[in-house]
mmCIF file of all heavy atoms in Angstrom:
data_model
loop_
_atom_site.group_PDB
_atom_site.id
_atom_site.type_symbol
_atom_site.label_atom_id
_atom_site.label_comp_id
_atom_site.label_asym_id
_atom_site.label_seq_id
_atom_site.Cartn_x
_atom_site.Cartn_y
_atom_site.Cartn_z
ATOM 1 N N VAL I 45 -14.455 0.546 11.123
ATOM 2 C CA VAL I 45 -15.630 1.472 11.042
ATOM 3 C C VAL I 45 -16.843 0.739 11.678
ATOM 4 O O VAL I 45 -17.612 1.393 12.452
ATOM 5 C CB VAL I 45 -15.932 1.870 9.594
ATOM 6 C CG1 VAL I 45 -17.264 2.551 9.508
ATOM 7 C CG2 VAL I 45 -14.848 2.861 9.144
ATOM 8 N N VAL I 46 -17.094 -0.478 11.342
ATOM 9 C CA VAL I 46 -18.247 -1.218 11.882
ATOM 10 C C VAL I 46 -18.131 -1.244 13.418
ATOM 11 O O VAL I 46 -19.119 -0.961 14.127
ATOM 12 C CB VAL I 46 -18.238 -2.720 11.373
ATOM 13 C CG1 VAL I 46 -19.285 -3.494 12.098
ATOM 14 C CG2 VAL I 46 -18.532 -2.705 9.909
ATOM 15 N N PHE I 47 -16.965 -1.568 13.914
ATOM 16 C CA PHE I 47 -16.720 -1.639 15.373
ATOM 17 C C PHE I 47 -16.997 -0.283 16.070
ATOM 18 O O PHE I 47 -17.781 -0.175 16.962
ATOM 19 C CB PHE I 47 -15.254 -2.052 15.506
ATOM 20 C CG PHE I 47 -14.891 -2.441 16.939
ATOM 21 C CD1 PHE I 47 -15.239 -3.678 17.412
ATOM 22 C CD2 PHE I 47 -14.172 -1.596 17.742
ATOM 23 C CE1 PHE I 47 -14.934 -4.105 18.646
ATOM 24 C CE2 PHE I 47 -13.832 -2.013 19.007
ATOM 25 C CZ PHE I 47 -14.176 -3.231 19.478
ATOM 26 N N VAL I 48 -16.365 0.741 15.500
ATOM 27 C CA VAL I 48 -16.457 2.083 16.151
ATOM 28 C C VAL I 48 -17.896 2.670 16.055
ATOM 29 O O VAL I 48 -18.421 3.241 16.995
ATOM 30 C CB VAL I 48 -15.391 3.014 15.641
ATOM 31 C CG1 VAL I 48 -15.669 4.451 16.077
ATOM 32 C CG2 VAL I 48 -14.058 2.586 16.026
ATOM 33 N N MET I 49 -18.440 2.547 14.841
ATOM 34 C CA MET I 49 -19.742 3.112 14.590
ATOM 35 C C MET I 49 -20.838 2.542 15.517
ATOM 36 O O MET I 49 -21.686 3.263 16.049
ATOM 37 C CB MET I 49 -20.161 2.955 13.148
ATOM 38 C CG MET I 49 -20.340 4.322 12.420
ATOM 39 S SD MET I 49 -20.148 4.122 10.690
ATOM 40 C CE MET I 49 -21.769 4.440 10.146
ATOM 41 N N THR I 50 -20.782 1.230 15.691
ATOM 42 C CA THR I 50 -21.763 0.564 16.509
ATOM 43 C C THR I 50 -21.659 1.009 17.948
ATOM 44 O O THR I 50 -22.657 1.403 18.601
ATOM 45 C CB THR I 50 -21.625 -0.958 16.430
ATOM 46 O OG1 THR I 50 -21.435 -1.305 15.073
ATOM 47 C CG2 THR I 50 -22.748 -1.671 17.080
ATOM 48 N N ILE I 51 -20.420 1.009 18.461
ATOM 49 C CA ILE I 51 -20.214 1.428 19.896
ATOM 50 C C ILE I 51 -20.558 2.934 20.018
ATOM 51 O O ILE I 51 -21.200 3.299 21.011
ATOM 52 C CB ILE I 51 -18.807 1.102 20.303
ATOM 53 C CG1 ILE I 51 -18.596 -0.412 20.264
ATOM 54 C CG2 ILE I 51 -18.519 1.636 21.684
ATOM 55 C CD1 ILE I 51 -17.217 -0.863 20.665
ATOM 56 N N ALA I 52 -20.072 3.736 19.112
ATOM 57 C CA ALA I 52 -20.293 5.174 19.231
ATOM 58 C C ALA I 52 -21.745 5.519 19.201
ATOM 59 O O ALA I 52 -22.184 6.449 19.940
ATOM 60 C CB ALA I 52 -19.555 5.902 18.069
ATOM 61 N N SER I 53 -22.529 4.843 18.379
ATOM 62 C CA SER I 53 -23.981 5.175 18.346
ATOM 63 C C SER I 53 -24.627 4.798 19.679
ATOM 64 O O SER I 53 -25.475 5.515 20.146
ATOM 65 C CB SER I 53 -24.621 4.442 17.176
ATOM 66 O OG SER I 53 -24.710 3.057 17.450
ATOM 67 N N ALA I 54 -24.182 3.706 20.293
ATOM 68 C CA ALA I 54 -24.756 3.326 21.610
ATOM 69 C C ALA I 54 -24.425 4.402 22.649
ATOM 70 O O ALA I 54 -25.294 4.819 23.445
ATOM 71 C CB ALA I 54 -24.211 1.936 22.004
ATOM 72 N N VAL I 55 -23.166 4.820 22.629
ATOM 73 C CA VAL I 55 -22.747 5.799 23.625
ATOM 74 C C VAL I 55 -23.443 7.161 23.392
ATOM 75 O O VAL I 55 -23.917 7.758 24.366
ATOM 76 C CB VAL I 55 -21.176 5.933 23.580
ATOM 77 C CG1 VAL I 55 -20.764 7.132 24.496
ATOM 78 C CG2 VAL I 55 -20.549 4.661 24.039
ATOM 79 N N THR I 56 -23.480 7.577 22.144
ATOM 80 C CA THR I 56 -24.135 8.856 21.902
ATOM 81 C C THR I 56 -25.599 8.856 22.203
ATOM 82 O O THR I 56 -26.249 9.778 22.639
ATOM 83 C CB THR I 56 -23.898 9.344 20.447
ATOM 84 O OG1 THR I 56 -24.224 8.295 19.575
ATOM 85 C CG2 THR I 56 -22.459 9.787 20.229
ATOM 86 N N TRP I 57 -26.234 7.615 21.967
ATOM 87 C CA TRP I 57 -27.647 7.506 22.279
ATOM 88 C C TRP I 57 -27.868 7.721 23.770
ATOM 89 O O TRP I 57 -28.736 8.443 24.211
ATOM 90 C CB TRP I 57 -28.147 6.122 21.864
ATOM 91 C CG TRP I 57 -29.679 6.022 21.977
ATOM 92 C CD1 TRP I 57 -30.626 6.333 21.063
ATOM 93 C CD2 TRP I 57 -30.370 5.564 23.173
ATOM 94 N NE1 TRP I 57 -31.851 6.132 21.564
ATOM 95 C CE2 TRP I 57 -31.777 5.669 22.831
ATOM 96 C CE3 TRP I 57 -29.992 5.179 24.454
ATOM 97 C CZ2 TRP I 57 -32.752 5.320 23.717
ATOM 98 C CZ3 TRP I 57 -30.974 4.806 25.339
ATOM 99 C CH2 TRP I 57 -32.353 4.897 24.997
ATOM 100 N N CYS I 58 -27.036 7.044 24.605
ATOM 101 C CA CYS I 58 -27.113 7.190 26.097
ATOM 102 C C CYS I 58 -26.926 8.639 26.482
ATOM 103 O O CYS I 58 -27.689 9.170 27.293
ATOM 104 C CB CYS I 58 -26.118 6.339 26.766
ATOM 105 S SG CYS I 58 -26.348 4.538 26.483
ATOM 106 N N LEU I 59 -25.925 9.266 25.878
ATOM 107 C CA LEU I 59 -25.600 10.670 26.262
ATOM 108 C C LEU I 59 -26.788 11.615 25.921
ATOM 109 O O LEU I 59 -27.216 12.404 26.753
ATOM 110 C CB LEU I 59 -24.383 11.098 25.406
ATOM 111 C CG LEU I 59 -23.858 12.482 25.689
ATOM 112 C CD1 LEU I 59 -23.113 12.511 27.011
ATOM 113 C CD2 LEU I 59 -22.918 12.967 24.594
ATOM 114 N N ASP I 60 -27.369 11.350 24.747
ATOM 115 C CA ASP I 60 -28.538 12.184 24.303
ATOM 116 C C ASP I 60 -29.693 11.912 25.213
ATOM 117 O O ASP I 60 -30.295 12.838 25.690
ATOM 118 C CB ASP I 60 -28.831 11.869 22.858
ATOM 119 C CG ASP I 60 -30.112 12.392 22.382
ATOM 120 O OD1 ASP I 60 -30.404 13.539 22.797
ATOM 121 O OD2 ASP I 60 -30.855 11.692 21.633
ATOM 122 N N ARG I 61 -30.000 10.634 25.427
ATOM 123 C CA ARG I 61 -31.282 10.335 26.124
ATOM 124 C C ARG I 61 -31.191 10.622 27.629
ATOM 125 O O ARG I 61 -32.212 11.025 28.220
ATOM 126 C CB ARG I 61 -31.598 8.838 25.848
ATOM 127 C CG ARG I 61 -33.057 8.488 26.125
ATOM 128 C CD ARG I 61 -33.992 9.386 25.371
ATOM 129 N NE ARG I 61 -33.801 9.461 23.920
ATOM 130 C CZ ARG I 61 -34.521 8.683 23.078
ATOM 131 N NH1 ARG I 61 -35.434 7.906 23.493
ATOM 132 N NH2 ARG I 61 -34.353 8.843 21.768
ATOM 133 N N TRP I 62 -30.047 10.423 28.221
ATOM 134 C CA TRP I 62 -29.984 10.617 29.692
ATOM 135 C C TRP I 62 -29.431 11.907 30.165
ATOM 136 O O TRP I 62 -29.556 12.256 31.329
ATOM 137 C CB TRP I 62 -29.200 9.464 30.269
ATOM 138 C CG TRP I 62 -29.902 8.146 30.102
ATOM 139 C CD1 TRP I 62 -31.254 7.951 29.905
ATOM 140 C CD2 TRP I 62 -29.342 6.816 29.980
ATOM 141 N NE1 TRP I 62 -31.540 6.612 29.735
ATOM 142 C CE2 TRP I 62 -30.371 5.910 29.814
ATOM 143 C CE3 TRP I 62 -28.008 6.365 30.046
ATOM 144 C CZ2 TRP I 62 -30.192 4.518 29.644
ATOM 145 C CZ3 TRP I 62 -27.799 4.972 29.949
ATOM 146 C CH2 TRP I 62 -28.883 4.069 29.749
ATOM 147 N N LEU I 63 -28.608 12.611 29.330
ATOM 148 C CA LEU I 63 -28.028 13.828 29.805
ATOM 149 C C LEU I 63 -28.526 15.087 29.022
ATOM 150 O O LEU I 63 -28.991 16.005 29.680
ATOM 151 C CB LEU I 63 -26.484 13.716 29.683
ATOM 152 C CG LEU I 63 -25.724 14.926 30.188
ATOM 153 C CD1 LEU I 63 -25.850 15.019 31.730
ATOM 154 C CD2 LEU I 63 -24.271 14.892 29.834
ATOM 155 N N LEU I 64 -28.427 15.017 27.739
ATOM 156 C CA LEU I 64 -28.702 16.238 26.977
ATOM 157 C C LEU I 64 -30.174 16.496 26.872
ATOM 158 O O LEU I 64 -30.676 17.636 27.141
ATOM 159 C CB LEU I 64 -28.100 16.133 25.544
ATOM 160 C CG LEU I 64 -26.611 15.953 25.455
ATOM 161 C CD1 LEU I 64 -26.173 15.896 23.993
ATOM 162 C CD2 LEU I 64 -25.923 17.095 26.196
#
Side-chain angles (χ1 to χ4, degrees):
Chain I
V45 168
V46 171
F47 193 77
V48 169
M49 242 157 113
T50 312
I51 296 178
S53 71
V55 171
T56 49
W57 187 89
C58 296
L59 184 75
D60 168 39
R61 201 50 60 95
W62 294 334
L63 183 69
L64 300 180

